[in-house]
């Protein structure tokens, strides 16, 4: 049972435009959501997080939106840069423990 | 910031041998370590959670006798893949929790294991 899903395996965006990566979840007990960037053969790098009591968190070019009623969150990157090309994972933390559940990842390609 | 050192970064071993992967928190005390496994083009799957000085808690379907986890100190956790087989070939990543940096989850750089 996949509790965290990223339905788009890949996304291609032109440099300077907005990248929108989506994530859906099924467990209403998740209390924190995190986005990670990952390059091949490397560990994930933390990007941004959001608490379930908020609907938006912004950090520079990265903004995460949370729609609790829809159990949906999205990561916006604007403007997109070629260096943003990587695999992005969303992850959720259940309030019954501190383990993370990861989505399947979305490969973002930003074209110059 | 918080740093987690994981090594080796890659290892090739013969089928039937055992491989040990180390994960160290360099500048903080890791009260909890998580071990993940990632198959090509797939997500990170949690294998087990370990707290310092306690036995690890394994996720369903993960053989605890095959994947031995030791978290003997607040800065070191090890994962030993025993009697490795080709199907154990994968990318293994640790994550340490114990500081507020990185929202509490700092990942190692991963270990690519290839069993031949």
């Amino acid at each position: 049972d996949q509790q965290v899903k990223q339905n788009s395996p890949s996304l291609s965006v032109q440099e300077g435009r907005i990248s929108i990566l989506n994530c859906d979840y099924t467990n209403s007990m998740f209390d924190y959501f995190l986005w990670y960037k990952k390059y091949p053969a490397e560990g994930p790098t933390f990007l941004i997080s959001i608490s379930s009591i908020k609907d938006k968190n912004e950090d520079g070019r990265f903004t995460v939106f949370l729609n609790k009623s829809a159990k949906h969150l999205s990561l916006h990157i604007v403007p997109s840069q070629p260096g943003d090309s990587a695999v992005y994972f969303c992850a959720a933390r259940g309030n019954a423990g501190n383990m993370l559940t990861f989505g399947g990842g979305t490969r973002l390609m930003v074209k110059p | 910031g918080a740093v987690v050192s994981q090594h080796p970064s890659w290892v090739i071993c013969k089928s039937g041998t055992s491989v040990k992967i180390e994960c160290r928190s360099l500048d903080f005390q890791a009260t909890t370590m998580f071990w993940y496994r990632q198959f090509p083009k797939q997500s990170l799957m949690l294998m087990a959670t370990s707290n310092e000085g306690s036995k690890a808690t394994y996720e369903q379907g993960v053989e605890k006798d095959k994947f031995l986890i030791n978290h003997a100190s607040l800065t070191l956790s090890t994962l030993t893949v025993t009697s490795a087989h080709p199907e154990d070939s994968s990318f293994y990543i640790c994550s340490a929790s114990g500081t507020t940096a990185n929202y509490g989850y700092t990942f190692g750089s991963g270990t690519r294991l290839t069993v031949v």
Side-chain angles (χ1 to χ4, degrees):
Chain A
D1 174 31
Q2 263 191 299
Q3 296 189 63
V4 181
K5 288 184 181 179
Q6 292 175 257
N7 291 317
S8 298
S10 65
L11 174 68
S12 183
V13 172
Q14 202 67 36
E15 180 179 7
R17 305 296 288 269
I18 184 171
S19 296
I20 301 176
L21 298 107
N22 294 303
C23 181
D24 297 293
Y25 63 96
T26 57
N27 188 342
S28 58
M29 302 302 286
F30 288 140
D31 65 346
Y32 258 95
F33 303 88
L34 304 89
W35 282 94
Y36 289 89
K37 178 179 180 180
K38 187 180 181 300
Y39 295 111
E42 292 185 14
T45 302
F46 170 73
L47 279 176
I48 192 169
S49 65
I50 188 168
S51 163
S52 61
I53 62 173
K54 295 188 175 181
D55 55 18
K56 178 183 176 181
N57 188 25
E58 189 173 355
D59 183 2
R61 297 187 297 115
F62 301 93
T63 303
V64 56
F65 295 92
L66 175 62
N67 183 332
K68 277 191 73 176
S69 60
K71 294 191 177 67
H72 176 85
L73 64 155
S74 60
L75 173 67
H76 293 212
I77 307 173
V78 58
S80 301
Q81 300 172 354
D84 295 329
S85 298
V87 177
Y88 288 78
F89 288 95
C90 68
R93 188 190 78 172
N95 59 9
N98 59 352
M99 58 173 275
L100 294 179
T101 301
F102 283 84
T106 297
R107 181 175 301 279
L108 173 65
M109 293 163 284
V110 180
K111 298 179 179 178
Chain B
V3 177
V4 171
S5 174
Q6 181 175 346
H7 70 91
S9 55
W10 60 270
V11 58
I12 301 173
C13 71
K14 288 186 177 181
S15 188
T17 61
S18 295
V19 174
K20 181 185 283 188
I21 301 170
E22 289 191 352
C23 192
R24 292 180 185 274
S25 56
L26 299 185
D27 47 6
F28 67 99
Q29 293 185 325
T31 51
T32 305
M33 287 275 198
F34 304 92
W35 286 94
Y36 295 86
R37 181 175 182 177
Q38 184 187 24
F39 291 104
K41 297 185 179 180
Q42 293 189 24
S43 185
L44 284 74
M45 301 302 296
L46 181 67
M47 298 174 65
T49 303
S50 72
N51 293 297
E52 184 266 337
S54 309
K55 287 185 178 180
T57 302
Y58 289 82
E59 295 300 301
Q60 191 173 10
V62 178
E63 300 176 58
K64 58 183 179 183
D65 294 331
K66 181 167 189 58
F67 298 100
L68 301 179
I69 291 173
N70 183 284
H71 192 170
S73 78
L74 283 171
T75 59
L76 174 64
S77 178
T78 61
L79 166 66
T80 302
V81 183
T82 62
S83 186
H85 291 284
E87 58 265 30
D88 299 324
S89 298
S90 190
F91 191 64
Y92 294 87
I93 311 174
C94 66
S95 171
S97 179
T99 171
T100 55
N102 300 316
Y103 191 67
Y105 300 95
T106 303
F107 285 83
S109 54
T111 298
R112 167 77 58 198
L113 170 64
T114 302
V115 184
V116 297

